[in-house]
Structures are given as structure tokens and as C-alpha cells.
């Protein structure tokens, strides 16, 4: 990827906290591949974010390599994009420290993800969980990214990254690009199949709540059949029908059909038929990803070649950013 092109820059990351869910796919990764022609794309497996909650080291290593292979299987081309593992580029952590000095305690305290995860992991409310959004700001600002494709759950963190960039620019003179969110119109927040008031999450303890993108067809159909809906039997998008609204959104993204078209397609039919159709559409859509993944994951040398080259390219960009930032804040030049 040419580093000096006129194209705008995109950055996005995903945590290797487990197999990606249909939520990660619809809200984020599905949109990343098509952006590769129009933008300079930088995509990262953000393992440093993952350790904000307790991880088993061997499992994290395995999940990280698997997540990298999945990224490529979902259409990220390491020749057209920079695809790397976050901990391979130490500049993110260095910039994060500088940015933390332009971040207020109060604004971090307001982050809903911090509140939710502190409840979920009450025995380990560590400082990393609290400062997670500063590292995310560093991930983005290190590349002066113009655009950040994310699901709706990350909107608040991106807003904070924008505030941090603005505050730094005010203190030290215009430097960082203030990034814009790129949130899909449909599927920005895919909900749990078991509790449609909650977002679908990799780390959900109930495996029936999530579709993992490596689930086989039978598993996918079984999970959709068990999805929580409501007691009437009309397939239509309406307030109070959270479960059906979620399934309709998923079906709409998978098939390209509008919500009205879906309502007509299933008029007079029961939820059973609808759930089966959603399951089949999702399984068929994900089939090529599963096939590609099973090829890639066996080729460890190829993966290593890709993530090493990715980290080198990422480091070339961020070293320049960091040395300018160090100069701006008043650090003495080391050379
Ligand atoms: N349910 C969702 N609907 C739409 N988009 C989603 N994303 C996550 N869940 C949904 C988007 O996926 C991208 C990567 O997310 P992440 O792995 O960095 O962190 P997360 O948002 O915390 O995802 P999970 O699955 O909930 O992970 P865990 O369980 O480990 O916390 C982001 O762009 C996110 O918006």
C-alpha cells in the first residue's frame, strides 16, 4: 500500500477475545473489505485491548492467530491493506501515554463499556479497563485516520477519541486529524439471540446467544430456531418486538431485502419458517468465510509473513507520528 497516496485513511480494530460473532461481522468486518479500493486501510487485531479482561495466555495466543486468519478470510487483502497485530507495534502504547495526559478522569468515568465491563468483571476492575478508550484513541490517531468503521457500541469511544484529538490540537497546535465514525445503517448493533435487549458479544457466557462466524450450518440453524422472540406471530418490524426486529435486521443485511419485503415474504407464515430462513441465509452467507479460514489457518508461515509485513508498514507510519508528537510536547530529541 503506498504510504503517500492522496487517499483517505481508515483504521479499525477487533479484539481476539474469541471467534468473531455475527455482530462483529455485520457491524464491522463485513464493511472493511469493500473499503480497500477507495481508502488506505489499516486493520488490527487488538490484543492489547483484549488483556483488559483476564485472558488465559495460551488461549490468547491461539485466538490472536485465529483472529488474524479470520480477518483475511473475511476479505482483508494484506497486499492492499495494512493488517497487523497491535502488540507488534509498540508505538500505540507509547502514544497512548501521551494522550492519557490529554484525557480527563471524568470523561473516562462516563464510558458505558467501562461501567458494563466493571460489573461483568467485578473482581478485576483494572486501570487498563478504565483507560481502554485512550489506547483506542492512540490506535486511530497514530495513523491520522480520517474514518473509523465501527459498530454502534463503539460510538462513544470514538467520540472520546475525537475530543482527545481536539484537546491535543488546542494545547500543542493543529496536528491530529479528528476522525469520523463510519457506522453501517443496518446492523450497527446486532443483539443477543437469547436477550435481545443486550448486544451480541463474543464473550457472552451463553453460546446460544451468539452466532460465531465459524459455526457450521446445523449449529447456526439450531441457534436461530431457539432465538427469543415474542408471543404474537407477525413478522414485522415494530417497537416492543426486539427479538423479531433483530432477526429482520440480520435477514435484511444477509439478503439485501428491505424490511417491507421481508414482512410480505412471511405474511401468513409462522415464526418457525422465518427463523429457518434467517438461519439458512446466514449459514450460506458465511460458508465461503469458513472455507477460506480453514485453508488459511493451516498456513502458519503465510500468516506470519503477512502480519510481520503488516507490523513493519504500520510502524513506519506511527514512528513518524510519534516523533512529531514527542517534539510537540517538548521532549528532548534522542538523536
Ligand atoms: N453486537 C454487535 N453489533 C454490531 N457491531 C458490533 N461490534 C461488536 N459487537 C457488535 C463491532 O465489532 C467491532 C470489533 O469489536 P471488538 O471485538 O473490538 O470489541 P467489542 O465491541 O467489545 O466486541 P464483543 O464481541 O462484544 O467483544 P467482547 O465480548 O470481548 O467484549 C467493533 O467495531 C464493534 O463496534
Amino acid at each position: 500500500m503506498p504510504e503517500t497516496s492522496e487517499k483517505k485513511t481508515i483504521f479499525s480494530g477487533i479484539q481476539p477475545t474469541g471467534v468473531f460473532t455475527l455482530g462483529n461481522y455485520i457491524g464491522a468486518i463485513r464493511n472493511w473489505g469493500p473499503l480497500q479500493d477507495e481508502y488506505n486501510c489499516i486493520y488490527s487485531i487488538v490484543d492489547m485491548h483484549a488483556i483488559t479482561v483476564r485472558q488465559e495466555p495460551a488461549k490468547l495466543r491461539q485466538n490472536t492467530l485465529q483472529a488474524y486468519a479470520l480477518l483475511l478470510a473475511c476479505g482483508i487483502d494484506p497486499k492492499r491493506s495494512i493488517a497487523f497485530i497491535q502488540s507488534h507495534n509498540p508505538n500505540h502504547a507509547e502514544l497512548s501515554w501521551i494522550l492519557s495526559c490529554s484525557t480527563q478522569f471524568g470523561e473516562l468515568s462516563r464510558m458505558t463499556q467501562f461501567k458494563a465491563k466493571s460489573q461483568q468483571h467485578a473482581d478485576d476492575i483494572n486501570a487498563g479497563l478504565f483507560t481502554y478508550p485512550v489506547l483506542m484513541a492512540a490506535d486511530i490517531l497514530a495513523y491520522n485516520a480520517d474514518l473509523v468503521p465501527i459498530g454502534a457500541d463503539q460510538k462513544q469511544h470514538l467520540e472520546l477519541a475525537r475530543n482527545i484529538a481536539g484537546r491535543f490540537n488546542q494545547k500543542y497546535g493543529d496536528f491530529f486529524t479528528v476522525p469520523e465514525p463510519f457506522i453501517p445503517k443496518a446492523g450497527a448493533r446486532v443483539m443477543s439471540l437469547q436477550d435481545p435487549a443486550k448486544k451480541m458479544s463474543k464473550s457472552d457466557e451463553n453460546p446460544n446467544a451468539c452466532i460465531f462466524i465459524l459455526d457450521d450450518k446445523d449449529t447456526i440453524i439450531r441457534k436461530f430456531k431457539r432465538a427469543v422472540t415474542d408471543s404474537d406471530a407477525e413478522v414485522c418490524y415494530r417497537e416492543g418486538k426486539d427479538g423479531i426486529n433483530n432477526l429482520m435486521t440480520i435477514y435484511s443485511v444477509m439478503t439485501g431485502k428491505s424490511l417491507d419485503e421481508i414482512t410480505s415474504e412471511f405474511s401468513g407464515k409462522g415464526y418457525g419458517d422465518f427463523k429457518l430462513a434467517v438461519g439458512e441465509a446466514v449459514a450460506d452467507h458465511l460458508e465461503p468465510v469458513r472455507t477460506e479460514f480453514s485453508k488459511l489457518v493451516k498456513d502458519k508461515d503465510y500468516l506470519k509473513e503477512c502480519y510481520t509485513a503488516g507490523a513493519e508498514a504500520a510502524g513506519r507510519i506511527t514512528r513518524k507520528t510519534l516523533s512529531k508528537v514527542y517534539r510537540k510536547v517538548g521532549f528532548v530529541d534522542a538523536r
Side-chain angles (χ1 to χ4, degrees):
M1 190 188 85
E3 284 166 26
T4 50
S5 75
E6 297 297 308
K7 290 177 178 176
K8 288 192 166 184
T9 297
I10 276 189
F11 177 92
S12 206
I14 184 156
Q15 297 185 74
T17 38
V19 178
F20 303 160
T21 68
L22 188 63
N24 298 132
Y25 181 77
I26 290 181
I29 314 170
R30 165 184 76 104
N31 310 302
W32 295 358
L35 295 167
Q36 294 177 110
D37 293 327
E38 223 182 305
Y39 298 92
N40 291 324
C41 293
I42 303 161
Y43 296 123
S44 184
I45 302 300
V46 290
D47 50 350
M48 291 162 72
H49 285 277
I51 60 163
T52 55
V53 301
R54 204 167 284 137
Q55 302 289 333
E56 210 259 288
K59 187 80 188 146
L60 177 63
R61 203 167 292 123
Q62 187 194 349
N63 279 342
T64 303
L65 293 172
Q66 181 178 277
Y68 191 85
L70 258 180
L71 193 67
L72 305 197
C74 288
I76 305 310
D77 175 356
K79 294 214 164 55
R80 285 192 293 154
S81 294
I82 294 179
F84 72 106
I85 296 170
Q86 185 189 29
S87 61
H88 292 180
N89 182 2
N91 298 155
H92 290 228
E94 289 176 63
L95 182 59
S96 177
W97 175 254
I98 308 282
L99 297 181
S100 70
C101 300
S102 287
T103 308
Q104 300 302 304
F105 178 85
E107 54 192 351
L108 288 176
S109 312
R110 287 193 289 275
M111 295 295 111
T112 52
Q113 181 173 290
F114 171 68
K115 290 181 198 162
K117 292 217 165 172
S118 325
Q119 277 173 5
Q120 240 178 309
H121 305 278
D123 59 337
D124 186 19
I125 307 175
N126 60 75
L129 196 60
F130 188 64
T131 57
Y132 175 117
V134 187
L135 180 58
M136 178 167 154
D139 297 338
I140 298 162
L141 301 183
Y143 301 90
N144 274 307
D146 300 280
L147 224 55
V148 186
I150 44 168
D153 58 309
Q154 291 294 337
K155 193 168 174 236
Q156 196 187 27
H157 287 167
L158 189 72
E159 201 49 52
L160 180 60
R162 289 168 53 83
N163 291 342
I164 295 172
R167 199 168 298 129
F168 185 96
N169 289 349
Q170 243 176 9
K171 271 205 233 173
Y172 299 109
D174 262 0
F175 178 68
F176 285 122
T177 304
V178 179
E180 296 288 339
F182 181 92
I183 298 175
K185 282 198 183 74
R189 200 171 166 84
V190 176
M191 309 311 278
S192 154
L193 297 186
Q194 291 299 311
D195 177 1
K198 237 174 61 179
K199 78 160 185 159
M200 186 180 282
S201 223
K202 285 185 220 87
S203 52
D204 199 309
E205 275 164 16
N206 182 350
N208 288 322
C210 299
I211 301 295
F212 297 107
I213 65 177
L214 296 177
D215 282 346
D216 61 33
K217 186 164 186 166
D218 288 348
T219 308
I220 293 177
I221 290 175
R222 182 172 39 78
K223 287 183 182 178
F224 276 110
K225 278 188 179 161
R226 289 185 185 169
V228 169
T229 47
D230 51 59
S231 53
D232 69 44
E234 203 190 345
V235 177
C236 69
Y237 197 98
R238 207 171 46 220
E239 211 183 317
K241 288 173 71 75
D242 294 352
I244 287 294
N245 295 348
N246 189 34
L247 297 188
M248 286 182 76
T249 303
I250 294 171
Y251 191 62
S252 166
V253 171
M254 293 290 114
T255 60
K257 292 176 186 166
S258 70
L259 297 176
D260 286 344
E261 283 168 333
I262 299 170
T263 300
S264 323
E265 184 180 347
F266 292 96
S267 102
K269 295 186 185 158
Y271 284 171
D273 289 340
F274 176 51
K275 287 176 173 182
L276 180 64
V278 183
E280 281 182 337
V282 169
D284 292 347
H285 186 98
L286 294 178
E287 181 62 42
V289 175
R290 279 196 298 277
T291 310
E292 188 59 18
F293 172 80
S294 54
K295 264 195 297 179
L296 281 166
V297 80
K298 288 184 208 128
D299 198 346
K300 296 216 162 39
D301 290 343
Y302 174 67
L303 293 177
K304 187 167 186 183
E305 199 183 295
C306 295
Y307 62 68
T308 307
E312 277 164 12
R316 275 198 295 278
I317 300 172
T318 55
R319 269 193 299 280
K320 284 187 203 149
T321 309
L322 201 61
S323 74
K324 286 182 192 157
V325 166
Y326 274 23
R327 226 168 295 140
K328 281 211 166 265
V329 301
F331 291 168
V332 173
D333 216 325
R335 271 163 290 142

